[in-house]
Amino acid sequence: MPMLATKLSAAATAAVRQAMSVASVGSCLLRHHVRFPSGHCVVAQPSSNRAAFMSTVATAKNRKAAAADDTVPTLIIKDDCLALNLPGSGSGSSIFHHVWLRDNCPCPACIHPSTRQKLHSSGDIPTDIQPIRVQWVRSNSDPSAATGATSKRKAESHMFAHTDAADQWVLEVEWPAFAFPSRGERAGNDNAQADAAVLGDTEPHVSRYSASFLRRWNYSSPNRDAIHPNYLYPDPEPWSGAEVDAQGHLHVDYNSLPPIEQLLPIAASSPAAAPASSVADRTRHLTFPPVTSLPPHILDRFATHGLVFFHNVPTNRGDDYVETLAKRFGHQLRWTFYGSSWDVKSVAQSTNIAYTNLFLGLHMDLMYFEAPPGLQFLHMLRTNVKGGSSLFLDMLHTWRSFVKAHPRDVWQPLTSVPTAFHYAHAHHAPGDGPHWLARQHALSTDEHGSQMYYAPPFQGPLMPLPSGDVSWASDPHVVKAWYKGMRAWDEHVRRQKMVMIDLKPGDAVLFHNRRVLHGRTAFDSVQDGVGAGEKAVRHLRGCYVDWDEFLDRWRVSRYR
């Protein structure tokens, strides 16, 4: 077994012998530093026959007295992976496959330093790649000082770009050279191999992974749920109308938010900056700062509950405030055939039931889109009608209670039989069918509550599937099972206690359009007490933001 060592004292030699006496671990090779009183360090490297040995992490004098920050983390090299005890991750080993580590090297040669985009394909990495050298090093050590460092690696001494200031240790791995076929301009053509030969590594490559980087992307630790918060998606907290009445949802005073003028460039906030007369017009193509636009607890509460109310939102400038409020939650508004924002009020010969004074049952918007928007904002500008209360219901909570209360054969067809949603009106329905049409599974068991589709006003007939799809079309009994399940679901929904609120002028509501159902009670078009010549009106302004836009804001705020 080759070893690197200098001037080992008697105590050091004893420590090595003690480490070598530990039982073998089969085909595994434990690699780490053993620190001695004199400060010397021994680095174990793979032997030619992959013989297994283990080493302890301790000082030669007293292993229990070793300070935590002086204790070198352990690692085991296996045939295709490393088993690491990551600092700060609690007990238990975490597995990182060699191919994964090489693919996710964070150095500037693999991740472009300014665009932060990957410079190779995962398919470029040999699946049987083996490291040449592996060791833990101090995070403040000089990467160019590694044994055998070449001038190229010295020039890449800023590989610590992914090192957290609080990290004590960095995993350093040296890899063999290989080609990167995806980097060739003619990849996939006859000369792809010639390109690959030019663009491949010409010498071993050194990767350095901070402990925080490895903890963040740890995919195997038994403690990952405890040590690694959900980075991709919020953990939804289902709620019922009764719980909202008891605990209250988040209510925010608009005046407590950072003023718009503080979020915009001077040119955009200046009245003379552009001929447009409204802030919404001048800022339509601008983005607000993701960190300072909103307090993090507002983003967190919406992320978990999907419902937030705002009060004292100004009403004197039309679409200004609903659009600028929405842009605090996402970079851009979702443009639809309704425009960037739109009015909701009762009109004659309406093309949408929302533009009447009729009862509007619980539903989601734009289910006839392949990707319906995630966030919906409604800002009450004016109301003097009797009735028209806004209704909200958490579909995630309702669906989970429905599944719990009914046998599988009742709810399963709702998750497997695709349902058609369409918008069939005017120029959106030329000829024999609508232009706006999407086929979705009505309900979902998605744990994040973002893949649910329910909009009875826009539901079309069950669509026949292509003959090659036999998931249900070949069994006519499935159609009847779907209707049985939908009837049970609708009855369950009607039994739920909903959130009912009378929005006043200046109130605005934000809800998760892919999770929270919304509706409205009917209202009288003539209101007692309305002055002579004054028409009764219920007028809201609304807009949409995509769920991905919000997730970006939430992640930046949570993990900045």
Side-chain angles (χ1 to χ4, degrees), residues 272-328:
S277 59
S278 73
V279 175
D281 288 337
R282 294 200 299 272
T283 63
R284 191 153 287 139
H285 301 292
L286 299 177
T287 59
F288 293 172
V291 176
T292 58
S293 295
L294 279 173
H297 76 278
I298 297 178
L299 294 170
D300 282 341
R301 187 59 183 263
F302 176 73
T304 56
H305 289 72
L307 184 62
V308 177
F309 295 98
F310 296 88
H311 306 285
N312 300 315
V313 183
T315 62
N316 59 340
R317 293 164 77 177
D319 59 2
D320 268 13
Y321 293 99
V322 70
E323 289 196 14
T324 53
L325 176 63
K327 290 181 68 173
R328 295 174 187 263

Side-chain angles (χ1 to χ4, degrees), residues 197-314:
V198 175
L199 295 171
D201 286 335
T202 59
E203 58 183 6
H205 182 90
V206 176
S207 302
R208 296 166 68 83
Y209 312 89
S210 69
S212 59
F213 176 84
L214 295 172
R215 284 195 302 269
R216 175 179 176 183
W217 300 109
N218 188 350
Y219 56 86
S220 66
S221 170
N223 303 314
R224 60 184 177 273
D225 291 338
I227 66 174
H228 182 65
N230 195 339
Y231 177 76
L232 291 178
Y233 300 101
D235 291 322
E237 298 182 20
W239 49 266
S240 68
E243 292 169 338
V244 171
D245 289 346
Q247 302 175 7
H249 259 287
L250 184 63
H251 292 261
V252 179
D253 185 349
Y254 182 85
N255 294 320
S256 68
L257 303 181
I260 291 294
E261 290 73 19
Q262 293 182 9
L263 306 178
L264 302 175
I266 295 177
S269 60
S270 172
S277 59
S278 73
V279 175
D281 288 337
R282 294 200 299 272
T283 63
R284 191 153 287 139
H285 301 292
L286 299 177
T287 59
F288 293 172
V291 176
T292 58
S293 295
L294 279 173
H297 76 278
I298 297 178
L299 294 170
D300 282 341
R301 187 59 183 263
F302 176 73
T304 56
H305 289 72
L307 184 62
V308 177
F309 295 98
F310 296 88
H311 306 285
N312 300 315
V313 183

Side-chain angles (χ1 to χ4, degrees), residues 290-501:
V291 176
T292 58
S293 295
L294 279 173
H297 76 278
I298 297 178
L299 294 170
D300 282 341
R301 187 59 183 263
F302 176 73
T304 56
H305 289 72
L307 184 62
V308 177
F309 295 98
F310 296 88
H311 306 285
N312 300 315
V313 183
T315 62
N316 59 340
R317 293 164 77 177
D319 59 2
D320 268 13
Y321 293 99
V322 70
E323 289 196 14
T324 53
L325 176 63
K327 290 181 68 173
R328 295 174 187 263
F329 288 83
H331 294 84
Q332 294 294 335
L333 307 181
R334 170 73 177 268
W335 186 281
T336 70
F337 59 81
Y338 293 115
S340 59
S341 60
W342 26 265
D343 293 303
V344 180
K345 55 185 177 181
S346 179
V347 296
Q349 301 300 314
S350 171
T351 61
N352 190 312
I353 193 172
Y355 304 153
T356 71
N357 65 338
L358 302 176
F359 168 70
L360 180 59
L362 293 171
H363 67 285
M364 297 170 170
D365 277 17
L366 305 185
M367 293 295 102
Y368 40 82
F369 281 21
E370 288 291 340
L375 282 67
Q376 182 170 173
F377 298 78
L378 290 172
H379 178 204
M380 180 64 76
L381 298 178
R382 185 184 176 197
T383 180
N384 57 10
V385 301
K386 183 178 181 180
S389 299
S390 296
L391 308 173
F392 301 97
L393 181 69
D394 184 12
M395 190 167 174
L396 179 60
H397 175 274
T398 306
W399 170 247
R400 289 182 179 179
S401 63
F402 177 70
V403 170
K404 186 176 181 179
H406 294 79
R408 182 180 180 85
D409 64 336
V410 172
W411 56 262
Q412 195 274 337
L414 301 181
T415 68
S416 59
V417 177
T419 304
F421 296 95
H422 63 179
Y423 184 69
H425 195 279
H427 61 284
H428 298 292
D432 296 328
H435 270 184
W436 292 106
L437 173 69
R439 192 172 61 200
Q440 318 280 13
H441 293 111
L443 301 172
S444 169
T445 55
D446 184 275
E447 61 180 325
H448 306 297
S450 60
Q451 299 297 326
M452 297 184 170
Y453 301 85
Y454 185 70
F458 299 97
Q459 183 183 312
L462 291 178
M463 293 182 64
L465 299 179
S467 57
D469 190 333
V470 295
S471 58
W472 68 275
S474 61
D475 185 356
H477 297 290
V478 173
V479 175
K480 187 173 181 179
W482 183 90
Y483 276 97
K484 178 182 177 181
M486 184 57 68
R487 181 178 178 84
W489 165 254
D490 283 344
E491 291 175 349
H492 186 76
V493 168
R494 287 193 292 270
R495 288 195 296 269
Q496 306 305 304
K497 180 176 175 56
M498 292 174 270
V499 174
M500 180 181 294
I501 185 171

